[in-house]
Amino acid sequence: MGDRWHVEVDRGVCIGSGMCVNHAPGAFRLDSARQSRPIEGDVDAGEAVLAAAEGCPVEAISLALADSGEVVFPPEE
Ligand code: SF4
């Protein structure tokens, strides 16, 4: 089985651009306040979710390995 990622959106930072929903509609949705939330806490690792995190204009999305908690995105400096 492939990796699972734990997804978080920092709602204090999200500006509701909707880009993550465009990249990965299976993983993110905009709520009634036009802020993104993960549809599920953990998702299958994949390009679409990574593209969503990378494409967020305010870096509100973080990804970590679900089992170990190791940070996947943003990359550590
Ligand atoms: S791409 Fe970033 S700012 Fe835009 S809705 Fe998603 S989390 Fe929010």
Side-chain angles (χ1 to χ4, degrees):
M1 206 179 92
D3 283 339
R4 298 274 291 169
W5 287 343
H6 181 70
V7 183
E8 289 200 18
V9 175
D10 185 340
R11 296 168 61 77
V13 175
C14 172
I15 56 170
S17 69
M19 288 176 62
C20 55
V21 180
N22 289 340
H23 278 297
F28 300 94
R29 67 179 175 83
L30 292 184
D31 66 14
S32 57
R34 277 200 63 84
Q35 285 205 301
S36 172
R37 353 175 127 235
I39 292 174
E40 296 184 84
D42 294 345
V43 300
D44 287 337
E47 286 297 320
V49 177
L50 183 58
E54 289 176 340
C56 175
V58 292
E59 295 187 6
I61 299 170
S62 56
L63 306 173
L65 290 179
D67 51 4
S68 67
E70 184 184 334
V71 174
V72 174
F73 189 89
E76 305 201 41
E77 301 288 318

mmCIF file of all heavy atoms in Angstrom, residues 3-45:
data_model
loop_
_atom_site.group_PDB
_atom_site.id
_atom_site.type_symbol
_atom_site.label_atom_id
_atom_site.label_comp_id
_atom_site.label_asym_id
_atom_site.label_seq_id
_atom_site.Cartn_x
_atom_site.Cartn_y
_atom_site.Cartn_z
ATOM 1 N N ASP A 3 1.890 5.389 0.570
ATOM 2 C CA ASP A 3 1.868 6.265 1.735
ATOM 3 C C ASP A 3 0.515 6.958 1.881
ATOM 4 O O ASP A 3 -0.183 7.209 0.900
ATOM 5 C CB ASP A 3 2.935 7.351 1.599
ATOM 6 C CG ASP A 3 4.325 6.816 1.890
ATOM 7 O OD1 ASP A 3 4.436 5.770 2.565
ATOM 8 O OD2 ASP A 3 5.287 7.450 1.433
ATOM 9 N N ARG A 4 0.216 7.278 3.133
ATOM 10 C CA ARG A 4 -0.935 8.138 3.422
ATOM 11 C C ARG A 4 -0.396 9.444 3.978
ATOM 12 O O ARG A 4 0.564 9.445 4.748
ATOM 13 C CB ARG A 4 -1.851 7.475 4.460
ATOM 14 C CG ARG A 4 -2.440 6.164 3.988
ATOM 15 C CD ARG A 4 -3.700 6.343 3.187
ATOM 16 N NE ARG A 4 -4.815 6.805 4.020
ATOM 17 C CZ ARG A 4 -5.974 7.237 3.501
ATOM 18 N NH1 ARG A 4 -6.152 7.300 2.195
ATOM 19 N NH2 ARG A 4 -6.947 7.641 4.302
ATOM 20 N N TRP A 5 -1.022 10.534 3.590
ATOM 21 C CA TRP A 5 -0.623 11.847 4.090
ATOM 22 C C TRP A 5 -1.717 12.423 4.969
ATOM 23 O O TRP A 5 -2.903 12.322 4.649
ATOM 24 C CB TRP A 5 -0.380 12.813 2.924
ATOM 25 C CG TRP A 5 0.864 12.564 2.152
ATOM 26 C CD1 TRP A 5 1.944 11.823 2.538
ATOM 27 C CD2 TRP A 5 1.162 13.061 0.840
ATOM 28 N NE1 TRP A 5 2.894 11.841 1.542
ATOM 29 C CE2 TRP A 5 2.451 12.583 0.508
ATOM 30 C CE3 TRP A 5 0.466 13.859 -0.074
ATOM 31 C CZ2 TRP A 5 3.060 12.888 -0.716
ATOM 32 C CZ3 TRP A 5 1.059 14.157 -1.284
ATOM 33 C CH2 TRP A 5 2.353 13.683 -1.592
ATOM 34 N N HIS A 6 -1.272 13.035 6.062
ATOM 35 C CA HIS A 6 -2.197 13.810 6.875
ATOM 36 C C HIS A 6 -2.185 15.249 6.336
ATOM 37 O O HIS A 6 -1.113 15.830 6.148
ATOM 38 C CB HIS A 6 -1.784 13.782 8.345
ATOM 39 C CG HIS A 6 -2.712 14.553 9.214
ATOM 40 N ND1 HIS A 6 -4.000 14.133 9.485
ATOM 41 C CD2 HIS A 6 -2.561 15.736 9.844
ATOM 42 C CE1 HIS A 6 -4.589 15.031 10.256
ATOM 43 N NE2 HIS A 6 -3.747 16.009 10.483
ATOM 44 N N VAL A 7 -3.361 15.783 6.072
ATOM 45 C CA VAL A 7 -3.494 17.094 5.435
ATOM 46 C C VAL A 7 -4.038 18.103 6.440
ATOM 47 O O VAL A 7 -5.007 17.815 7.144
ATOM 48 C CB VAL A 7 -4.493 17.024 4.249
ATOM 49 C CG1 VAL A 7 -4.582 18.367 3.541
ATOM 50 C CG2 VAL A 7 -4.093 15.926 3.285
ATOM 51 N N GLU A 8 -3.402 19.265 6.482
ATOM 52 C CA GLU A 8 -3.958 20.342 7.295
ATOM 53 C C GLU A 8 -3.981 21.642 6.505
ATOM 54 O O GLU A 8 -3.094 21.896 5.686
ATOM 55 C CB GLU A 8 -3.130 20.541 8.570
ATOM 56 C CG GLU A 8 -3.333 19.392 9.529
ATOM 57 C CD GLU A 8 -2.963 19.723 10.953
ATOM 58 O OE1 GLU A 8 -2.868 20.916 11.290
ATOM 59 O OE2 GLU A 8 -2.759 18.771 11.700
ATOM 60 N N VAL A 9 -5.016 22.431 6.758
ATOM 61 C CA VAL A 9 -5.103 23.772 6.178
ATOM 62 C C VAL A 9 -5.119 24.773 7.325
ATOM 63 O O VAL A 9 -5.930 24.649 8.250
ATOM 64 C CB VAL A 9 -6.377 23.943 5.330
ATOM 65 C CG1 VAL A 9 -6.511 25.377 4.837
ATOM 66 C CG2 VAL A 9 -6.385 22.964 4.158
ATOM 67 N N ASP A 10 -4.210 25.724 7.279
ATOM 68 C CA ASP A 10 -4.184 26.789 8.287
ATOM 69 C C ASP A 10 -5.230 27.831 7.900
ATOM 70 O O ASP A 10 -5.042 28.631 6.986
ATOM 71 C CB ASP A 10 -2.793 27.410 8.336
ATOM 72 C CG ASP A 10 -2.678 28.447 9.454
ATOM 73 O OD1 ASP A 10 -3.728 28.951 9.916
ATOM 74 O OD2 ASP A 10 -1.536 28.748 9.843
ATOM 75 N N ARG A 11 -6.336 27.779 8.626
ATOM 76 C CA ARG A 11 -7.459 28.640 8.247
ATOM 77 C C ARG A 11 -7.211 30.099 8.603
ATOM 78 O O ARG A 11 -7.912 30.993 8.118
ATOM 79 C CB ARG A 11 -8.747 28.111 8.880
ATOM 80 C CG ARG A 11 -9.091 26.728 8.337
ATOM 81 C CD ARG A 11 -10.179 26.057 9.148
ATOM 82 N NE ARG A 11 -11.418 26.812 9.134
ATOM 83 C CZ ARG A 11 -12.258 26.821 8.120
ATOM 84 N NH1 ARG A 11 -12.004 26.134 7.035
ATOM 85 N NH2 ARG A 11 -13.370 27.515 8.194
ATOM 86 N N GLY A 12 -6.223 30.347 9.405
ATOM 87 C CA GLY A 12 -5.855 31.729 9.667
ATOM 88 C C GLY A 12 -5.089 32.356 8.517
ATOM 89 O O GLY A 12 -4.920 33.572 8.473
ATOM 90 N N VAL A 13 -4.652 31.518 7.598
ATOM 91 C CA VAL A 13 -3.813 31.971 6.486
ATOM 92 C C VAL A 13 -4.549 31.863 5.149
ATOM 93 O O VAL A 13 -4.375 32.690 4.257
ATOM 94 C CB VAL A 13 -2.508 31.132 6.451
ATOM 95 C CG1 VAL A 13 -1.673 31.483 5.241
ATOM 96 C CG2 VAL A 13 -1.710 31.333 7.733
ATOM 97 N N CYS A 14 -5.397 30.840 5.026
ATOM 98 C CA CYS A 14 -6.103 30.592 3.753
ATOM 99 C C CYS A 14 -6.890 31.826 3.331
ATOM 100 O O CYS A 14 -7.616 32.420 4.131
ATOM 101 C CB CYS A 14 -7.066 29.410 3.929
ATOM 102 S SG CYS A 14 -8.162 29.138 2.534
ATOM 103 N N ILE A 15 -6.743 32.202 2.054
ATOM 104 C CA ILE A 15 -7.463 33.353 1.513
ATOM 105 C C ILE A 15 -8.596 32.929 0.577
ATOM 106 O O ILE A 15 -9.180 33.758 -0.116
ATOM 107 C CB ILE A 15 -6.509 34.316 0.772
ATOM 108 C CG1 ILE A 15 -5.743 33.580 -0.330
ATOM 109 C CG2 ILE A 15 -5.550 34.978 1.767
ATOM 110 C CD1 ILE A 15 -4.965 34.501 -1.267
ATOM 111 N N GLY A 16 -8.852 31.629 0.520
ATOM 112 C CA GLY A 16 -10.006 31.153 -0.235
ATOM 113 C C GLY A 16 -9.872 31.265 -1.736
ATOM 114 O O GLY A 16 -10.869 31.416 -2.441
ATOM 115 N N SER A 17 -8.660 31.150 -2.228
ATOM 116 C CA SER A 17 -8.452 31.271 -3.677
ATOM 117 C C SER A 17 -9.085 30.111 -4.428
ATOM 118 O O SER A 17 -9.410 30.237 -5.605
ATOM 119 C CB SER A 17 -6.960 31.312 -3.993
ATOM 120 O OG SER A 17 -6.381 30.041 -3.728
ATOM 121 N N GLY A 18 -9.228 28.981 -3.765
ATOM 122 C CA GLY A 18 -9.827 27.813 -4.405
ATOM 123 C C GLY A 18 -8.866 27.022 -5.267
ATOM 124 O O GLY A 18 -9.262 26.035 -5.892
ATOM 125 N N MET A 19 -7.623 27.424 -5.315
ATOM 126 C CA MET A 19 -6.688 26.714 -6.191
ATOM 127 C C MET A 19 -6.476 25.277 -5.760
ATOM 128 O O MET A 19 -6.304 24.389 -6.591
ATOM 129 C CB MET A 19 -5.347 27.453 -6.232
ATOM 130 C CG MET A 19 -5.452 28.745 -7.015
ATOM 131 S SD MET A 19 -3.921 29.679 -6.990
ATOM 132 C CE MET A 19 -2.813 28.536 -7.798
ATOM 133 N N CYS A 20 -6.481 25.033 -4.454
ATOM 134 C CA CYS A 20 -6.281 23.650 -3.989
ATOM 135 C C CYS A 20 -7.449 22.770 -4.432
ATOM 136 O O CYS A 20 -7.248 21.599 -4.766
ATOM 137 C CB CYS A 20 -6.116 23.622 -2.479
ATOM 138 S SG CYS A 20 -7.452 24.401 -1.566
ATOM 139 N N VAL A 21 -8.636 23.329 -4.452
ATOM 140 C CA VAL A 21 -9.809 22.566 -4.888
ATOM 141 C C VAL A 21 -9.694 22.244 -6.369
ATOM 142 O O VAL A 21 -10.042 21.148 -6.810
ATOM 143 C CB VAL A 21 -11.104 23.356 -4.595
ATOM 144 C CG1 VAL A 21 -12.328 22.572 -5.057
ATOM 145 C CG2 VAL A 21 -11.204 23.679 -3.110
ATOM 146 N N ASN A 22 -9.161 23.181 -7.145
ATOM 147 C CA ASN A 22 -8.958 22.914 -8.569
ATOM 148 C C ASN A 22 -7.935 21.805 -8.778
ATOM 149 O O ASN A 22 -8.110 20.940 -9.635
ATOM 150 C CB ASN A 22 -8.491 24.174 -9.294
ATOM 151 C CG ASN A 22 -9.593 25.205 -9.413
ATOM 152 O OD1 ASN A 22 -10.772 24.873 -9.308
ATOM 153 N ND2 ASN A 22 -9.224 26.457 -9.614
ATOM 154 N N HIS A 23 -6.858 21.833 -7.997
ATOM 155 C CA HIS A 23 -5.819 20.820 -8.156
ATOM 156 C C HIS A 23 -6.291 19.450 -7.682
ATOM 157 O O HIS A 23 -6.002 18.438 -8.304
ATOM 158 C CB HIS A 23 -4.575 21.203 -7.351
ATOM 159 C CG HIS A 23 -3.676 22.182 -8.025
ATOM 160 N ND1 HIS A 23 -3.032 21.901 -9.199
ATOM 161 C CD2 HIS A 23 -3.306 23.441 -7.685
ATOM 162 C CE1 HIS A 23 -2.294 22.954 -9.554
ATOM 163 N NE2 HIS A 23 -2.458 23.903 -8.654
ATOM 164 N N ALA A 24 -6.936 19.419 -6.549
ATOM 165 C CA ALA A 24 -7.271 18.140 -5.919
ATOM 166 C C ALA A 24 -8.686 18.190 -5.346
ATOM 167 O O ALA A 24 -8.884 18.244 -4.128
ATOM 168 C CB ALA A 24 -6.257 17.831 -4.815
ATOM 169 N N PRO A 25 -9.694 18.157 -6.235
ATOM 170 C CA PRO A 25 -11.076 18.270 -5.768
ATOM 171 C C PRO A 25 -11.496 17.116 -4.866
ATOM 172 O O PRO A 25 -12.466 17.242 -4.123
ATOM 173 C CB PRO A 25 -11.895 18.310 -7.067
ATOM 174 C CG PRO A 25 -10.991 17.784 -8.129
ATOM 175 C CD PRO A 25 -9.590 18.075 -7.709
ATOM 176 N N GLY A 26 -10.739 16.024 -4.907
ATOM 177 C CA GLY A 26 -11.074 14.899 -4.034
ATOM 178 C C GLY A 26 -10.558 15.081 -2.618
ATOM 179 O O GLY A 26 -10.925 14.333 -1.718
ATOM 180 N N ALA A 27 -9.692 16.080 -2.434
ATOM 181 C CA ALA A 27 -9.041 16.217 -1.131
ATOM 182 C C ALA A 27 -9.433 17.496 -0.387
ATOM 183 O O ALA A 27 -9.323 17.552 0.838
ATOM 184 C CB ALA A 27 -7.521 16.186 -1.302
ATOM 185 N N PHE A 28 -9.860 18.521 -1.125
ATOM 186 C CA PHE A 28 -10.181 19.812 -0.493
ATOM 187 C C PHE A 28 -11.541 20.299 -0.952
ATOM 188 O O PHE A 28 -11.961 20.023 -2.062
ATOM 189 C CB PHE A 28 -9.148 20.884 -0.895
ATOM 190 C CG PHE A 28 -7.737 20.551 -0.503
ATOM 191 C CD1 PHE A 28 -6.891 19.912 -1.393
ATOM 192 C CD2 PHE A 28 -7.260 20.880 0.758
ATOM 193 C CE1 PHE A 28 -5.580 19.593 -1.031
ATOM 194 C CE2 PHE A 28 -5.957 20.574 1.122
ATOM 195 C CZ PHE A 28 -5.118 19.931 0.227
ATOM 196 N N ARG A 29 -12.179 21.062 -0.078
ATOM 197 C CA ARG A 29 -13.403 21.751 -0.496
ATOM 198 C C ARG A 29 -13.425 23.104 0.198
ATOM 199 O O ARG A 29 -12.784 23.286 1.242
ATOM 200 C CB ARG A 29 -14.651 20.947 -0.133
ATOM 201 C CG ARG A 29 -14.878 20.826 1.350
ATOM 202 C CD ARG A 29 -16.134 20.033 1.656
ATOM 203 N NE ARG A 29 -16.279 19.816 3.094
ATOM 204 C CZ ARG A 29 -16.800 20.701 3.923
ATOM 205 N NH1 ARG A 29 -17.241 21.855 3.471
ATOM 206 N NH2 ARG A 29 -16.882 20.445 5.211
ATOM 207 N N LEU A 30 -14.151 24.033 -0.385
ATOM 208 C CA LEU A 30 -14.325 25.333 0.265
ATOM 209 C C LEU A 30 -15.583 25.270 1.116
ATOM 210 O O LEU A 30 -16.615 24.776 0.677
ATOM 211 C CB LEU A 30 -14.467 26.451 -0.767
ATOM 212 C CG LEU A 30 -13.231 26.766 -1.602
ATOM 213 C CD1 LEU A 30 -13.512 27.968 -2.513
ATOM 214 C CD2 LEU A 30 -12.011 27.055 -0.736
ATOM 215 N N ASP A 31 -15.495 25.777 2.333
ATOM 216 C CA ASP A 31 -16.676 25.777 3.190
ATOM 217 C C ASP A 31 -17.486 27.053 2.959
ATOM 218 O O ASP A 31 -17.179 27.850 2.068
ATOM 219 C CB ASP A 31 -16.272 25.581 4.656
ATOM 220 C CG ASP A 31 -15.464 26.754 5.197
ATOM 221 O OD1 ASP A 31 -15.424 27.819 4.556
ATOM 222 O OD2 ASP A 31 -14.874 26.582 6.284
ATOM 223 N N SER A 32 -18.512 27.246 3.753
ATOM 224 C CA SER A 32 -19.418 28.371 3.519
ATOM 225 C C SER A 32 -18.730 29.711 3.763
ATOM 226 O O SER A 32 -19.205 30.748 3.300
ATOM 227 C CB SER A 32 -20.665 28.232 4.399
ATOM 228 O OG SER A 32 -20.266 28.138 5.749
ATOM 229 N N ALA A 33 -17.607 29.696 4.479
ATOM 230 C CA ALA A 33 -16.828 30.921 4.687
ATOM 231 C C ALA A 33 -15.769 31.088 3.589
ATOM 232 O O ALA A 33 -14.894 31.942 3.699
ATOM 233 C CB ALA A 33 -16.167 30.891 6.059
ATOM 234 N N ARG A 34 -15.876 30.259 2.535
ATOM 235 C CA ARG A 34 -14.907 30.256 1.426
ATOM 236 C C ARG A 34 -13.485 30.020 1.936
ATOM 237 O O ARG A 34 -12.535 30.655 1.485
ATOM 238 C CB ARG A 34 -14.966 31.559 0.615
ATOM 239 C CG ARG A 34 -16.073 31.530 -0.433
ATOM 240 C CD ARG A 34 -15.850 32.543 -1.541
ATOM 241 N NE ARG A 34 -14.639 32.288 -2.314
ATOM 242 C CZ ARG A 34 -14.564 31.447 -3.336
ATOM 243 N NH1 ARG A 34 -15.613 30.751 -3.709
ATOM 244 N NH2 ARG A 34 -13.418 31.293 -3.989
ATOM 245 N N GLN A 35 -13.383 29.117 2.877
ATOM 246 C CA GLN A 35 -12.054 28.689 3.290
ATOM 247 C C GLN A 35 -11.939 27.199 3.019
ATOM 248 O O GLN A 35 -12.908 26.448 3.119
ATOM 249 C CB GLN A 35 -11.832 28.982 4.768
ATOM 250 C CG GLN A 35 -11.593 30.467 5.005
ATOM 251 C CD GLN A 35 -10.814 30.682 6.270
ATOM 252 O OE1 GLN A 35 -11.262 30.284 7.318
ATOM 253 N NE2 GLN A 35 -9.660 31.303 6.158
ATOM 254 N N SER A 36 -10.715 26.810 2.685
ATOM 255 C CA SER A 36 -10.482 25.416 2.339
ATOM 256 C C SER A 36 -10.428 24.555 3.583
ATOM 257 O O SER A 36 -9.930 24.981 4.630
ATOM 258 C CB SER A 36 -9.157 25.313 1.592
ATOM 259 O OG SER A 36 -8.811 23.965 1.396
ATOM 260 N N ARG A 37 -10.932 23.344 3.460
ATOM 261 C CA ARG A 37 -10.722 22.318 4.481
ATOM 262 C C ARG A 37 -10.450 20.992 3.787
ATOM 263 O O ARG A 37 -10.992 20.741 2.717
ATOM 264 C CB ARG A 37 -11.910 22.073 5.420
ATOM 265 C CG ARG A 37 -13.066 22.939 5.337
ATOM 266 C CD ARG A 37 -14.154 22.435 6.279
ATOM 267 N NE ARG A 37 -14.570 23.514 7.150
ATOM 268 C CZ ARG A 37 -14.561 23.451 8.473
ATOM 269 N NH1 ARG A 37 -14.180 22.367 9.091
ATOM 270 N NH2 ARG A 37 -14.946 24.464 9.194
ATOM 271 N N PRO A 38 -9.649 20.174 4.438
ATOM 272 C CA PRO A 38 -9.469 18.823 3.908
ATOM 273 C C PRO A 38 -10.788 18.079 3.998
ATOM 274 O O PRO A 38 -11.492 18.184 5.005
ATOM 275 C CB PRO A 38 -8.433 18.193 4.848
ATOM 276 C CG PRO A 38 -7.869 19.310 5.656
ATOM 277 C CD PRO A 38 -8.890 20.401 5.668
ATOM 278 N N ILE A 39 -11.123 17.350 2.957
ATOM 279 C CA ILE A 39 -12.357 16.554 2.993
ATOM 280 C C ILE A 39 -12.202 15.422 3.999
ATOM 281 O O ILE A 39 -13.119 15.114 4.751
ATOM 282 C CB ILE A 39 -12.692 16.027 1.581
ATOM 283 C CG1 ILE A 39 -13.074 17.208 0.689
ATOM 284 C CG2 ILE A 39 -13.812 14.989 1.631
ATOM 285 C CD1 ILE A 39 -13.284 16.859 -0.768
ATOM 286 N N GLU A 40 -11.014 14.824 4.013
ATOM 287 C CA GLU A 40 -10.698 13.833 5.033
ATOM 288 C C GLU A 40 -9.354 14.203 5.630
ATOM 289 O O GLU A 40 -8.534 14.840 4.976
ATOM 290 C CB GLU A 40 -10.613 12.439 4.425
ATOM 291 C CG GLU A 40 -11.939 11.959 3.861
ATOM 292 C CD GLU A 40 -11.824 10.535 3.347
ATOM 293 O OE1 GLU A 40 -11.954 9.619 4.162
ATOM 294 O OE2 GLU A 40 -11.589 10.371 2.149
ATOM 295 N N GLY A 41 -9.109 13.784 6.842
ATOM 296 C CA GLY A 41 -7.844 14.125 7.492
ATOM 297 C C GLY A 41 -6.644 13.512 6.806
ATOM 298 O O GLY A 41 -5.602 14.143 6.685
ATOM 299 N N ASP A 42 -6.812 12.261 6.350
ATOM 300 C CA ASP A 42 -5.711 11.560 5.690
ATOM 301 C C ASP A 42 -6.135 11.178 4.280
ATOM 302 O O ASP A 42 -7.285 10.805 4.052
ATOM 303 C CB ASP A 42 -5.340 10.286 6.453
ATOM 304 C CG ASP A 42 -4.769 10.581 7.837
ATOM 305 O OD1 ASP A 42 -4.411 11.741 8.087
ATOM 306 O OD2 ASP A 42 -4.688 9.640 8.640
ATOM 307 N N VAL A 43 -5.184 11.295 3.359
ATOM 308 C CA VAL A 43 -5.457 10.957 1.959
ATOM 309 C C VAL A 43 -4.318 10.083 1.435
ATOM 310 O O VAL A 43 -3.225 10.058 2.006
ATOM 311 C CB VAL A 43 -5.567 12.218 1.068
ATOM 312 C CG1 VAL A 43 -6.692 13.114 1.544
ATOM 313 C CG2 VAL A 43 -4.244 12.972 1.025
ATOM 314 N N ASP A 44 -4.579 9.393 0.328
ATOM 315 C CA ASP A 44 -3.500 8.687 -0.349
ATOM 316 C C ASP A 44 -2.517 9.716 -0.899
ATOM 317 O O ASP A 44 -2.928 10.732 -1.481
ATOM 318 C CB ASP A 44 -4.048 7.854 -1.513
ATOM 319 C CG ASP A 44 -4.800 6.608 -1.023
ATOM 320 O OD1 ASP A 44 -4.538 6.155 0.106
ATOM 321 O OD2 ASP A 44 -5.648 6.116 -1.785
ATOM 322 N N ALA A 45 -1.235 9.451 -0.693
ATOM 323 C CA ALA A 45 -0.208 10.334 -1.237
ATOM 324 C C ALA A 45 -0.360 10.394 -2.753
ATOM 325 O O ALA A 45 -0.634 9.385 -3.395
ATOM 326 C CB ALA A 45 1.170 9.808 -0.864
#
